Amino acid sequence: MRHNDGACAKKPLGASVVPKKKIDIALQGGGSHGAFTWGVLDQLLQLEDIEIVGISGTSAGAMNAVALAQGLTQAGPEGARNLLRHYWTQVSRASRASPYKRTLWNRLRGDWSLEHSPGFIISQFTRQMASPYQFNPLNINPLRDLVRECFDFEAINSAEGPRIFLSATNVRTGRPKVFRQPDLSADAVMASACLPHVFKAVEIDGEAYWDGGYMGNPPLFPLVDETEARDIVIVQINPFERAEIPTTPYEIENRLNEITFNASLMKELRSLGFLWEIIEHDNLDRAAYRDGRLHRIHASGAMCDLGVSSKMNAEMAFLDHLFEIGRRTASEWVNSEWPEVGKTATWRPREIFEESLQPAHLAEGTSREPKK
């Protein structure tokens, strides 16, 4: 059963009902940069003709996913907007005790980076010398308490709201794990956001899990296979491309972080592209073969200006800055792309498919464009 805010309320005679566009939303992870997604969702939730039937998320995307789902289930779009704001406000409050603070010079320059923060520098050195099992033997994690305080997993696991799929990485097997209702919990959310250099692996039913970004950031195929929507809107935090070649150790680490956490998404996009080609060539029934239309909301230019260390910056001023970028980006996307949602794909990532294996049955020069 899908959430339909106000579905049981009586409509005045003659009142028009706005037809809903059923969509799935896939939310990338990226630490504090997830506040960009908060802004995107806040803007989308003000659309009258939107119905979110499925949500996938990883790490910070998992946090946004459960906040979105719980809010929609309990109080509709406005409830979701309020819960998202409450969660990110609490994240900022919890960070006040963090040793990761911008320097005075960074503040004067308006630089959100923590690259020169003494606390951040010490933590980077420490993680090279010891693991969380040595420097944090009690496994203290304020975020875990915040998740338990903010979210009602009974509501999240109910059949009344959107379907939710949270990605984690199985430490022992190296395979992806997707947590679904009715098995979502605070531990499942924390597993999706467990950075192995910072926290101990999260153990659930005898298995240990790390951050889902390594294997599904965010997972797409559960949305394709298990929801009724054909349109998937990807909210992307980590840029695919950067114009500059990294030359310093810090820049190299930053770019490696982005490449690593985009790799799984690129593989799933290539698989979807392969599926499109087969459907097109053999004129197969799209409904039977679970075809999908892709859409993307991103702000690569703005996000490229932010280094990896800022993903640990949870100052409210920074979160609000990202929130506003998200709202502005989503507003522009709605104006230009939303009318096409439900009709055709607005994003066809051809550059991702350039090095993909082309199906042998497709003749050279065959169009790789999916039909509308």
Side-chain angles (χ1 to χ4, degrees), residues 173-200:
T173 66
R175 293 195 292 266
K177 167 67 177 180
V178 176
F179 293 99
R180 300 167 170 82
Q181 293 126 323
D183 300 320
L184 297 178
S185 64
D187 283 343
V189 175
M190 295 309 300
S192 183
C194 180
L195 292 171
H197 294 297
V198 181
F199 303 114
K200 292 182 181 181

Side-chain angles (χ1 to χ4, degrees), residues 98-148:
S98 169
Y100 303 155
K101 305 292 184 184
R102 284 189 297 159
T103 64
L104 178 60
W105 176 242
N106 289 131
R107 293 176 182 275
L108 291 173
R109 292 179 58 198
D111 181 359
W112 300 108
S113 171
L114 298 175
E115 184 177 355
H116 303 293
S117 163
F120 183 78
I121 293 171
I122 292 171
S123 72
Q124 297 302 293
F125 176 78
T126 301
R127 81 178 195 177
Q128 301 300 320
M129 306 299 294
S131 80
Y133 293 84
Q134 283 85 53
F135 68 73
N136 187 12
L138 298 180
N139 203 23
I140 297 171
N141 186 348
L143 185 58
R144 180 174 53 235
D145 297 332
L146 191 153
V147 166
R148 288 171 176 165

Side-chain angles (χ1 to χ4, degrees), residues 236-251:
Q236 185 179 357
I237 291 177
N238 301 299
F240 281 137
E241 299 180 3
R242 280 187 179 269
E244 301 295 330
I245 302 298
T247 56
T248 69
Y250 180 77
E251 290 172 346

Side-chain angles (χ1 to χ4, degrees), residues 313-328:
N313 183 352
E315 295 174 54
M316 199 65 223
F318 182 47
L319 301 183
D320 282 335
H321 171 69
L322 291 169
F323 170 81
E324 292 301 332
I325 294 175
R327 275 188 57 87
R328 183 170 62 250

Side-chain angles (χ1 to χ4, degrees), residues 181-228:
Q181 293 126 323
D183 300 320
L184 297 178
S185 64
D187 283 343
V189 175
M190 295 309 300
S192 183
C194 180
L195 292 171
H197 294 297
V198 181
F199 303 114
K200 292 182 181 181
V202 176
E203 297 189 14
I204 302 174
D205 297 331
E207 291 288 357
Y209 298 99
W210 281 338
D211 195 294
Y214 298 107
M215 298 302 294
N217 190 24
L220 300 183
F221 271 92
L223 298 174
V224 174
D225 292 336
E226 301 179 40
T227 81
E228 62 197 66

Side-chain angles (χ1 to χ4, degrees), residues 268-306:
E268 288 204 74
L269 289 171
R270 284 172 175 164
S271 297
L272 283 173
F274 190 89
L275 175 61
W276 289 330
E277 290 175 331
I278 293 174
I279 290 172
E280 291 297 313
H281 178 268
D282 292 331
N283 197 26
L284 300 175
D285 178 16
R286 290 182 177 279
Y289 284 86
R290 306 301 296 155
D291 188 17
R293 295 181 288 249
L294 283 179
H295 315 274
R296 177 174 67 149
I297 302 176
H298 71 106
S300 293
M303 304 312 279
C304 276
D305 292 337
L306 302 173

